[in-house]
Amino acid sequence: MIRFVSLLFFVFFLASCGPQSDSTSISSTDVLNLRLGGEPTYLNPVLSTDSPSSSVEGLIFNGLFRVNSNLELEPDLVSHYTVDDSGTRYLFYLKEQVKWHDGTLFSAEDVVFTFETILDRRTNTVRRSNFVIDGVPIKFTALSPTKVEAVLSKPFAPFLSNLTIGILPKHILKSEDINTSSFNRNPVGTGPFVFREWSTGQYVVLERNASYFGEPAQIERIVMTIIPDANTALVSLEKGEIDQAGIPAKDYKRYAKQRNINLYQYYDLVYTYLGFNLKHPFFSDNKVRRAIAHAIKKEAIVEGVLKGFGLPAHIPSSPVLWSYPEEVAIPKFDYDPLFSKELLEEAGFIVNPKTQMLEKNGEPFSFTIITNKGNKDREKVAQIIQRYLYEIGIDVSIQLMEWSALVKIINDSSGPRQFDAIILGWSLGLDPDGYAIWHSSQYPVGFNFIGYENLEVDQLLEAGRATVFKRDRMRIYEQVYQHIAHDLPYVFLYFPETIVGINKRVAGLSEPGPAGLMNPIEAVYITE
């Protein structure tokens, strides 16, 4: 989901523009300074859809389960659970004496409230489909203050993975309209850090939860500064003003020589894509989408933009994910601009002799690619695609947008979205279930914001959810990937290799991998 944006933050910003309370009593070894790549939308895990929001929420809220540094699911608010032989009745036993940040005791009522809120159609959430099986909602019931029953209409493979979503406090939100509540800017969770302040366009401040039910965090305060521009973030990292930043591939050698920075590399559960608005009259034609796919040389993008720190992508998965198929089973669209022109001719496009550009029924083939401002790699990719498509007669414009404006377009549920094409990335979960992104029921409300429809894919996605054994699920998702790859709702561009620079004063890091370098955050500490 749009979850992946590098987290980076700012220490001197804290002194000059950040919160002033207690700043003199907290030393630099008590403050972790990170960056947010954009403005959060809501600090509410049920409502938010963007990475900046989820990056903050992950420190404030707990789910019933969590993902550890080995990409394994482990209990979080749950102490243990049981499931019956049919795989449809779960009993979750909650940890006792867990408290919300306001001191109220956490209970099973909060768990039930959270999932009933997600299932309530009045809630503006894209996560409802995670708890509905063939149209039947999962039923959550509080059997006691520390015991929750979940009854499913049939076995549901991604069920436990979906229970990593943050649990909400019923006592605060039960009488509120969750969509407009002030809670969304002043959240109360059970997590290792307590929300303190959010200054729009500047920073979010969190402080250690001294009453945390788990191992208390070693960091006293986290300052998460909003720095949309990647180059600005790099300057801040180099100066020691933030402790962590994503390193562009072009700058790898330079930052590898920095005395105060360690570099870490790993492949994440992420891919970058060019997505088409399938309600656009041109992009509704598969021949047009195929023509564009054959006109883009992915290998050149990987080498030119990523400097080799990445791999060409062809399907909506990640090589790190267990469901990723063998290479021989992956459909690919090789660079072939001459074939692109043939396909466009078959689709009814002709070359205007005056402009030498393509048109159809007198309408020029021109469209706009949108992407988020400040992400230099995506900007460069858009420019390369612009040049490739110009060579086959398509006029492409590029519009760079603030993150909040881009998210607003994606989340618009009124009908056809107001964009032509978009360059973005998806960060995937542990489970390969892609229902929320690809199932036709998830348009217009859901992550399927491009309007993709394929009945066979719908049926396969439903089957993948209902199938328990990994081997069988692998076969199902291989078919899903093949259908989507041939349909080309996206041109899958690349899997970027993540390069992260972290100030050497930050210790207690986990092994590099998709679960992040600060997992768990409680283990991280600062040395000087």
Side-chain angles (χ1 to χ4, degrees), residues 161-200:
S161 294
N162 291 342
L163 298 182
T164 57
I165 189 169
I167 300 299
L168 301 177
K170 179 180 178 179
H171 68 283
I172 295 177
L173 288 166
K174 62 182 178 181
S175 300
E176 301 268 339
D177 179 348
I178 192 172
N179 301 311
T180 59
S181 174
S182 60
F183 177 91
N184 299 329
R185 284 191 67 96
N186 296 278
V188 174
T190 57
F193 285 88
V194 178
F195 173 81
R196 286 293 179 238
E197 187 177 1
W198 176 2
S199 180
T200 301

Side-chain angles (χ1 to χ4, degrees), residues 245-503:
I247 305 297
K250 66 180 180 61
D251 296 317
Y252 177 85
K253 292 182 180 179
R254 174 185 165 196
Y255 282 92
K257 298 176 183 178
Q258 294 286 326
R259 293 183 179 180
N260 65 324
I261 297 172
N262 286 323
L263 296 189
Y264 302 88
Q265 296 170 238
Y266 56 90
Y267 276 96
D268 212 330
L269 297 171
V270 171
Y271 64 83
T272 298
Y273 62 89
L274 169 68
F276 302 108
N277 185 342
L278 299 180
K279 306 303 180 183
H280 188 290
F282 288 165
F283 299 139
S284 62
D285 188 337
N286 180 261
K287 285 185 178 179
V288 173
R289 302 194 301 272
R290 285 173 59 202
I292 291 175
H294 281 295
I296 298 171
K297 193 173 186 178
K298 299 175 184 179
E299 292 79 6
I301 291 176
V302 170
E303 290 301 320
V305 177
L306 304 184
K307 306 303 178 185
F309 290 94
L311 297 167
H314 306 282
I315 58 173
S317 183
S318 164
V320 182
L321 200 58
W322 59 264
S323 62
Y324 195 80
E326 297 290 335
E327 285 294 321
V328 68
I330 299 174
K332 299 177 182 178
F333 297 85
D334 296 329
Y335 177 63
D336 191 343
L338 291 178
F339 185 48
S340 294
K341 291 179 179 180
E342 291 176 16
L343 288 169
L344 290 169
E345 185 177 352
E346 291 176 12
F349 289 89
I350 61 173
V351 176
N352 184 309
K354 292 183 179 179
T355 65
Q356 293 301 305
M357 303 298 287
L358 291 172
E359 60 181 39
K360 184 175 182 180
N361 299 324
E363 182 180 356
F365 194 166
S366 63
F367 69 94
T368 299
I369 295 174
I370 62 173
T371 194
N372 54 305
K373 185 183 296 184
N375 188 311
K376 300 304 179 183
D377 284 352
R378 290 179 185 168
E379 291 180 25
K380 291 176 184 175
V381 170
Q383 292 166 0
I384 291 172
I385 291 174
Q386 182 184 48
R387 291 197 295 271
Y388 275 132
L389 297 190
Y390 181 83
E391 291 175 0
I392 63 169
I394 301 175
D395 180 31
V396 175
S397 300
I398 299 169
Q399 182 180 0
L400 305 178
M401 305 182 69
E402 297 294 343
W403 181 253
S404 58
L406 196 69
V407 171
K408 187 176 181 180
I409 289 176
I410 292 170
N411 289 343
D412 180 12
S413 60
S414 60
R417 302 302 201 274
Q418 299 302 307
F419 75 96
D420 300 331
I422 186 169
I423 293 177
L424 274 182
W426 279 119
S427 181
L428 309 172
L430 288 181
D431 194 278
D433 175 35
Y435 187 100
I437 299 174
W438 300 111
H439 198 279
S440 61
S441 68
Q442 301 307 293
Y443 179 86
V445 180
F447 284 130
N448 183 9
F449 62 90
I450 61 168
Y452 177 66
E453 295 181 58
N454 183 315
L455 181 59
E456 290 183 80
V457 171
D458 284 354
Q459 294 170 342
L460 287 166
L461 290 169
E462 292 161 10
R465 287 180 147 199
T467 304
V468 176
F469 296 107
K470 273 190 174 182
R471 182 176 297 177
D472 296 332
R473 296 188 79 203
M474 285 184 71
R475 286 195 288 267
I476 290 170
Y477 287 111
E478 181 178 311
Q479 294 178 67
V480 169
Y481 301 147
Q482 289 177 344
H483 278 293
I484 293 174
H486 284 298
D487 287 344
L488 278 167
Y490 297 168
V491 174
F492 301 97
L493 296 173
Y494 56 81
F495 304 113
E497 185 173 6
T498 299
I499 309 171
V500 180
I502 297 184
N503 194 301

Side-chain angles (χ1 to χ4, degrees), residues 195-227:
F195 173 81
R196 286 293 179 238
E197 187 177 1
W198 176 2
S199 180
T200 301
Q202 297 185 55
Y203 55 79
V204 175
V205 178
L206 310 178
E207 291 185 354
R208 177 170 55 195
N209 178 8
S211 302
Y212 186 51
F213 65 88
E215 190 71 27
Q218 301 185 61
I219 300 296
E220 180 67 27
R221 176 179 287 182
I222 297 180
V223 180
M224 310 174 85
T225 299
I226 299 166
I227 311 176

